[in-house]
Amino acid sequence: MSETAAKAPGSALGAAVDPNRWKALAFIAIAQLMVVLDATIVNIALPSAQQDLGISDGNRQWVVTAYALAFGGLLLFGGRIADLWGRKRAFVVGLGGFAAASALGGAATNEAMMFGARALQGAFGALLAPAALSLLAVMFTDAKERAKAFGIYGAIAGGGGAVGLILGGFLTEYLDWRWTFFVNIPFAIVAAAGAWYVIREPEGGRNRSALDIPGVILSTLGLVSLVYGFTRAESEGWGDSMTIGMFVASGVLLLAFVLVESRVKAPLLPLRVVTERNRGGIYLSLGLAIIAMFGLFLFLTYYLQIVKGYSPVKTGFAFLPMIAGMITGSTQIGTRLMTRVAPRLLMGPGFLVAALGMLLLTQLEIGSSYAALLLPAMLLLGLGMGTAFMPAMSLATQGVKPQDAGVASAMVNTSQQVGGAIGTALLNTIAASATTSYIADHIAGASSRSQQQLVQLEGMVEGYTSAIWFAVGILVVAAGIALTLVNAGRPGGSTGASSEEGAQDEVAVPVVAH
């Protein structure tokens, strides 16, 4: 093996390239898949778990909400802990805690035990997710290798949710809902053991500054209020006093957080991380794209199971073309072009291709053909999202100081988490309103029970298509933001204002040539 010098924008300054980095990527990928799977796998198991544990209809949302609040609220804290402790240690502790919380959830005997387990999963996930992404950021510094690594990571981040639908369907249908929790344990053990022996974190990347306690408290409470506001809006409506109160509280807390961060010596979230043009554009466009995607997963799952009568397993398999598209877009198109073209020329067109797939789904009807309509729409969605996600994930952590890699990675996860909460609440509200309106207008003409059931199904589909139109618009806006705000040049080539460190951070780094 010979060593050659390669320029690596935003690398850990002068650090030797880790010969075990590709093995490390495998274990990081396993951990990321586990976290992404968990977002959807539990949804499939929820009806069975609710019945077994005697959870009321009013409380069942807390199985999802407890996880979302802990995960979304603690992400920035988790990212800074990774910078402070070291990413490898945070990664392994996060995996161990997530496995223990999963075991608790699988063994739950009542709703309190279940809700507690889900909150613990969210808390350890908030430590694990930013540590995983920031490890990639500091370990892969060569432009071409970084493209491959983030291509794999982007494919998992985008397609893992759909894999969760398949696995959740299998486990619930053929084993027991408890296995949707227990399945995380072997994933976590393998990833933690592998990471402990394989990962060698570059020296000099820790942030030794004292922890910004006011920032931790304000950001956690502000993000929890924001996520809970959107979650409550879905069930109680946008005019609910508690919903409005949560949004007001979130606005006040997050504004106070920004003021504190601009004045303290060692901020939890250095404002340079989010005010830099490229990262700001990525956080915003990714958040918007996730709004569209989360709504779509929800509507297509309901459409396939309720309108088309698919089983949970068949529904999961119906999402396979989207997974294939995401893997292709991320590992083939994105990876191959990332070192040749500017990131915005992948992100913008990628979001537009996804919008085209979404546009096809506005034509959904009760009798729509899977092969003629859903299959091409899912392929386009997957290709577009995979192509856009991959450079976005890489650029969001490129050029950032190594000491800030954890918190920069946490912002990627935060934009996705908040986007998911908004997408589920906003698009579900739009769909419900359109459905109610359609049924009210057409139910009078339905004389028999079968005709009334038909009107209700037509109303559901009308609601889905109305919300999907909004999702199309959101993806177009995401594409516009990516094309206008993200101005970085291609990795290893000429750059725009790609990082706060600027060109001086492009340093010669030894790269092992295979």
Side-chain angles (χ1 to χ4, degrees):
M1 288 190 183
S2 64
E3 290 193 347
T4 58
K7 284 194 173 186
S11 65
L13 305 179
V17 170
D18 186 349
N20 288 326
R21 62 197 178 281
W22 291 108
K23 292 178 184 175
L25 173 62
F27 297 116
I28 292 169
I30 290 170
Q32 174 63 13
L33 179 62
M34 182 187 73
V35 173
V36 177
L37 279 175
D38 201 70
T40 51
I41 196 170
V42 173
N43 290 353
I44 296 286
L46 185 52
S48 302
Q50 180 185 358
Q51 187 175 356
D52 271 10
L53 300 179
I55 302 173
S56 68
D57 286 346
N59 284 342
R60 70 178 174 189
Q61 62 159 330
W62 284 100
V63 176
V64 176
T65 304
Y67 179 88
L69 293 182
F71 187 73
L74 293 170
L75 271 167
L76 285 178
F77 182 44
R80 183 51 86 199
I81 288 293
D83 289 332
L84 187 65
W85 280 1
R87 292 158 198 92
K88 175 180 173 178
R89 185 184 300 174
F91 183 72
V92 173
V93 170
L95 281 167
F98 199 92
S102 298
L104 188 66
T109 55
N110 54 52
E111 61 179 33
M113 195 170 167
M114 171 60 75
F115 300 156
R118 289 292 283 161
L120 279 174
Q121 278 187 315
F124 283 106
L127 180 63
L128 171 61
L133 183 55
S134 57
L135 276 170
L136 285 190
V138 298
M139 291 178 74
F140 288 89
T141 52
D142 174 68
K144 287 187 178 179
E145 290 195 345
R146 189 179 176 91
K148 290 178 184 176
F150 276 88
I152 294 167
Y153 186 90
I156 292 170
V163 175
L165 294 172
I166 298 173
L167 189 57
F170 259 111
L171 294 173
T172 304
E173 206 163 310
Y174 297 116
L175 290 172
D176 184 77
W177 66 265
R178 295 182 185 277
W179 281 97
T180 61
F181 287 89
F182 292 145
V183 74
N184 290 328
I185 298 171
F187 276 120
I189 291 172
V190 170
W196 186 257
Y197 288 107
V198 167
I199 291 176
R200 297 289 179 268
E201 193 175 345
E203 292 294 327
R206 288 196 194 180
N207 188 330
R208 303 285 186 177
S209 304
L211 193 61
D212 170 22
I213 301 299
V216 169
I217 294 170
L218 289 169
S219 67
T220 300
L221 292 177
L223 288 170
V224 164
S225 299
L226 184 63
V227 173
Y228 184 57
F230 282 111
T231 303
R232 189 174 174 89
E234 182 190 356
S235 57
E236 304 298 329
W238 296 90
D240 174 66
S241 58
M242 177 66 83
T243 301
I244 296 169
M246 284 292 110
F247 287 135
V248 172
S250 172
V252 171
L253 288 163
L254 293 177
L255 180 59
F257 173 67
V258 172
L259 292 174
V260 167
E261 298 308 276
S262 67
R263 296 180 181 182
V264 297
K265 185 179 178 181
L268 174 72
L269 174 63
L271 295 183
R272 63 179 178 268
V273 171
V274 289
T275 55
E276 195 276 311
R277 174 174 180 160
N278 289 285
R279 276 193 290 278
I282 284 168
Y283 296 148
L284 192 53
S285 60
L286 263 185
L288 287 169
I290 293 293
I291 289 174
M293 282 297 290
F294 261 65
L296 180 77
F297 273 135
L298 186 70
F299 299 142
L300 280 186
T301 301
Y302 281 138
Y303 174 80
L304 291 170
Q305 289 195 21
I306 297 174
V307 178
K308 301 298 263 184
Y310 284 20
S311 68
V313 172
K314 191 176 180 181
T315 299
F317 276 106
F319 280 98
L320 276 178
M322 189 185 295
I323 300 173
M326 282 182 175
I327 292 172
T328 303
S330 189
T331 63
Q332 301 302 312
I333 301 172
T335 299
R336 292 174 188 274
L337 294 181
M338 186 177 155
T339 54
R340 301 179 186 180
V341 301
R344 67 179 180 276
L345 299 181
L346 289 173
M347 291 176 63
F351 288 139
L352 290 175
V353 168
L356 182 60
M358 201 76 84
L359 189 64
L360 288 178
L361 291 174
T362 61
Q363 307 306 306
L364 269 183
E365 296 175 352
I366 288 178
S368 292
S369 163
Y370 177 84
L373 182 65
L374 274 78
L375 178 63
M378 286 193 188
L379 282 172
L380 287 170
L381 273 161
L383 280 170
M385 286 296 194
T387 301
F389 269 38
M390 185 259 159
M393 294 282 187
S394 176
L395 189 59
T397 51
Q398 182 175 300
V400 74
K401 291 179 180 178
Q403 296 91 333
D404 294 333
V407 81
S409 302
M411 277 302 299
V412 176
N413 296 109
T414 301
S415 66
Q416 291 177 305
Q417 187 66 23
V418 172
I422 296 171
T424 304
L426 179 63
L427 297 182
N428 213 24
T429 303
I430 293 166
S433 177
T435 296
T436 301
S437 179
Y438 182 92
I439 292 174
D441 290 344
H442 294 82
I443 198 71
S447 55
S448 67
R449 185 174 180 80
S450 61
Q451 287 177 327
Q452 290 173 352
Q453 288 176 335
L454 181 63
V455 168
Q456 287 175 338
L457 288 177
E458 288 172 344
M460 288 176 67
V461 176
E462 175 70 20
Y464 301 156
T465 55
S466 298
I468 289 170
W469 272 112
F470 275 84
V472 172
I474 290 168
L475 282 173
V476 171
V477 171
I481 289 170
L483 289 168
T484 54
L485 281 185
V486 179
N487 68 344
R490 64 183 176 84
S494 60
T495 60
S498 63
S499 82
E500 68 272 13
E501 286 79 26
Q504 70 265 29
D505 272 2
E506 290 198 35
V507 292
V509 178
V511 176
V512 180
H514 295 279

